Amino acid sequence: MTGAARLAAVMSILAVVVRLIWVDQPYVDNWSWRQSDVAALARNYFHGGFHFARPQIDWAGDQQGYVGTEFPVLPFLAALCYKIFGVHEWIGRAQGVILFALSLPFFFLLVRKMFGEIAAVCALFFYSFAPLGIMASRCFMPDMPSLALSIAGLYFFERWNDTAKPSFFFASAVAVSFAILFKFPSILIGAPLSCLIFQRFSFSAFRNFRIWLFAAIALLPSLSWYWHAYQISLHFYPHHFFGAGGIRIMPPAWYLKIAKLMVTSTLTPFLFLLGGVGVAMTRSMVRARPFRWWLAAMALFMIVVGYGNRHPWYQLPLIPIFAAFAGAAGALLGTKISSPAVKISISVLLSIAFGFLARVFARDFYRPSAASLRDAGLTLKRMTPRNSLIVAADNGDPTIFYYAERKGWHFLEKEGIYNGEPNESASAIIDLEGLRARGADYLVFTSDTSWWLDYYPVFREYLEGTSTVLEATSEFKIYKLNQTPQ
């Protein structure tokens, strides 16, 4: 093992250790709503009989709540683990850590093949500690597992391109297939794959049986599953298909906000600038083209799926792309410095600078912004019968339902989907009366929505006359709804 490989191994261990910090944290961080949904799928598998093809959420009230989702391997595996270890947050979070760890050697070897060993070490460092990557790889979500499989698929394809070994071919096709099944936007890995294909076969690729076989293995399972998921969303309330509606071009100000997040909490200014330098310095390198194609595909994706990119995890593939270019830039700039001592000193200082920025921007991801929702949920679990139906003014975050272990509805809602804040008291009253008629037993406000009771005084008076306060704290307020309004 070379010195660079040993350094990469040590770096990889450190990267995994960083992600194990607070790995048992409840789902109360900035992405609580997405993780609580995935965790609900897992627990509903656990309690509901492991019907893989019918993933089930908690916010469909009196209905079964089957929804169209990505291929639900992660929640299903978590549910199997619950049989052994019980229901714990670390089980869901650990899946992202494990898949991230598996991606590290593939990323290192891929960049080493394209840009050299020094570039690979630098790139691995940036890939390991970019703030968005730290967060995503410790969350109970499919995004990091999907990215990890994409990287593995790209590596195996590059190896097949060089060796023509069938084992690399099928490993790549299967990895890419699962990457797209886990998260459909991972189909963008087709951009660097296409680059490698055209570099080797040119337009004769369209007549190459192996390329068509690869496409079939990679795409047909996903097309089959997502068609099934779409049918589920059509036939079952709340008729929800995860990710639907994201394809929407937005005003310029929207993209400026996304760009700001990309430069800061996604990459850090350091990685963004050094990666940009790498893009410029490698413009004439044929080996850099796959990453350039991937970057171009991501730019187009961020524009066309403008509304969907309000979720920062959609920009996760930018991390390996910018890390690779930053690693190439670091290696090329290093050749201009002759003194080993100066190289080492500069490398240490720049590593400290990047590490500091990564810590600053990653820190906010851990903030327990949904702690009041969890506390309200635990209180409801303690105070209410198991078959109770809950109405939650929760800004669309299902964390209350998950920790209450109760079904219910967001408030306001439209066909089960969170429908925002009321325009006036009348709309809140009508919505709540409709849910009461469907069997709603309790209503909960959190510290983020309790202002409704002051802003809509007519609604507050109606609530005081038709319900009873069970518990009120600075974090939440729980009402028992009278089934026959007074």
Side-chain angles (χ1 to χ4, degrees):
M1 181 182 290
T2 65
R6 285 194 294 271
L7 180 58
V10 172
M11 197 183 302
S12 298
I13 293 170
L14 180 59
V16 172
V17 169
V18 166
R19 284 156 173 81
L20 292 177
I21 298 172
W22 294 348
V23 75
D24 59 345
Q25 181 186 25
Y27 304 124
V28 296
D29 51 50
N30 280 359
W31 301 352
S32 60
W33 68 271
R34 185 65 175 94
Q35 296 179 85
S36 292
D37 260 343
V38 179
L41 301 182
R43 192 171 58 204
N44 286 327
Y45 279 136
F46 179 59
H47 291 305
F50 293 90
H51 302 296
F52 182 83
R54 292 193 173 182
Q56 187 178 18
I57 44 83
D58 288 339
W59 36 269
D62 56 344
Q63 301 296 307
Q64 293 172 309
Y66 299 125
V67 290
T69 72
E70 305 94 349
F71 198 57
V73 169
L74 298 179
F76 193 82
L77 289 176
L80 292 174
C81 292
Y82 293 166
K83 287 285 188 181
I84 303 171
F85 303 105
V87 180
H88 299 286
E89 287 91 343
W90 65 263
I91 293 175
R93 292 187 183 276
Q95 293 181 94
V97 177
I98 291 169
L99 268 296
F100 164 77
L102 290 177
S103 75
L104 291 169
F106 293 116
F107 182 69
F108 175 78
L109 294 171
L110 181 66
V111 178
R112 187 177 71 174
K113 179 67 169 58
M114 293 182 173
F115 299 121
E117 199 165 52
I118 300 302
V121 172
C122 296
L124 187 69
F125 175 68
F126 295 127
Y127 174 66
S128 297
F129 299 105
L132 182 71
I134 293 174
M135 177 62 175
S137 55
R138 60 177 294 280
C139 285
F140 193 6
M141 295 167 56
D143 300 81
M144 177 52 75
S146 181
L147 177 62
L149 289 165
S150 297
I151 292 170
L154 182 58
Y155 167 76
F156 283 127
F157 194 87
E158 196 277 335
R159 293 288 291 138
W160 173 72
N161 229 6
D162 280 351
T163 66
K165 290 184 177 180
S167 57
F168 290 132
F169 176 89
F170 287 105
S172 177
V174 171
V176 171
S177 180
F178 274 101
I180 300 171
L181 279 166
F182 281 15
K183 196 77 178 179
F184 186 76
S186 289
I187 198 170
L188 295 177
I189 195 63
L193 291 173
S194 297
C195 179
L196 290 172
I197 289 170
F198 279 103
Q199 283 181 341
R200 178 177 176 184
F201 299 104
S202 186
F203 288 99
S204 66
F206 292 106
R207 302 188 302 272
N208 191 307
F209 171 76
R210 291 171 296 180
I211 301 303
W212 287 105
L213 177 60
F214 184 96
I217 297 171
L219 297 177
L220 289 182
S222 297
L223 293 175
S224 176
W225 172 260
Y226 286 114
W227 174 254
H228 164 76
Y230 178 66
Q231 294 302 311
I232 289 288
S233 71
L234 291 180
H235 289 93
F236 294 96
Y237 180 90
H239 308 293
H240 184 64
F241 189 82
F242 278 45
I247 301 177
R248 192 189 312 173
I249 295 177
M250 304 298 289
W254 182 273
Y255 296 104
L256 287 175
K257 181 179 179 181
I258 292 174
K260 180 181 177 181
L261 292 175
M262 181 182 72
V263 173
T264 55
S265 59
T266 297
L267 301 171
T268 74
F270 183 95
L271 179 53
F272 177 78
L273 290 173
L274 190 59
V277 171
V279 171
M281 294 184 72
T282 61
R283 61 187 180 276
S284 60
M285 288 186 181
V286 174
R287 293 168 298 175
R289 287 179 185 171
F291 279 101
R292 300 178 84 88
W293 282 41
W294 198 1
L295 178 59
M298 277 298 300
L300 181 62
F301 170 76
M302 292 171 66
I303 294 171
V304 175
V305 190
Y307 186 66
N309 272 273
R310 70 192 185 278
H311 303 313
W313 49 84
Y314 276 85
Q315 290 99 58
L316 197 59
L318 291 174
I319 294 174
I321 296 170
F322 272 82
F325 282 119
L332 291 171
L333 292 172
T335 60
K336 302 181 183 301
I337 303 173
S338 57
S339 170
V342 174
K343 284 184 182 180
I344 293 173
S345 299
I346 292 176
S347 298
V348 170
L349 289 174
L350 293 180
S351 298
I352 292 173
F354 174 72
F356 173 77
L357 289 172
R359 183 183 182 278
V360 168
F361 290 115
R363 184 173 52 196
D364 283 344
F365 285 130
Y366 287 74
R367 186 169 56 87
S369 56
S372 63
L373 279 74
R374 176 176 179 266
D375 291 342
L378 292 174
T379 301
L380 285 162
K381 178 181 177 181
R382 173 174 53 85
M383 297 180 62
T384 64
R386 178 167 289 277
N387 62 346
S388 300
L389 293 175
I390 309 299
V391 179
D394 55 8
N395 291 321
D397 187 330
T399 302
I400 285 179
F401 301 117
Y402 179 74
Y403 283 103
E405 298 185 24
R406 303 290 185 267
K407 309 296 184 183
W409 298 270
H410 298 300
F411 184 57
L412 302 178
E413 62 85 34
K414 183 178 181 181
E415 298 182 354
I417 309 299
Y418 175 61
N419 197 35
E421 300 161 359
N423 293 323
E424 69 287 312
S425 291
S427 61
I429 293 171
I430 291 171
D431 195 89
L432 184 58
E433 278 305 303
L435 297 176
R436 189 200 305 267
R438 295 175 62 177
D441 301 299
Y442 298 89
L443 170 65
V444 56
F445 289 90
T446 71
S447 55
D448 292 326
T449 57
S450 58
W451 61 268
W452 289 21
L453 301 174
D454 297 320
Y455 194 80
Y456 306 106
V458 176
F459 173 67
R460 184 186 67 243
E461 292 173 7
Y462 154 82
L463 198 58
E464 291 171 350
T466 59
S467 62
T468 304
V469 176
L470 287 187
E471 185 155 343
T473 71
S474 60
E475 291 187 310
F476 57 83
K477 195 169 188 178
I478 298 173
Y479 292 85
K480 175 70 175 72
L481 300 175
N482 300 328
Q483 286 306 307
T484 304
Q486 301 174 357

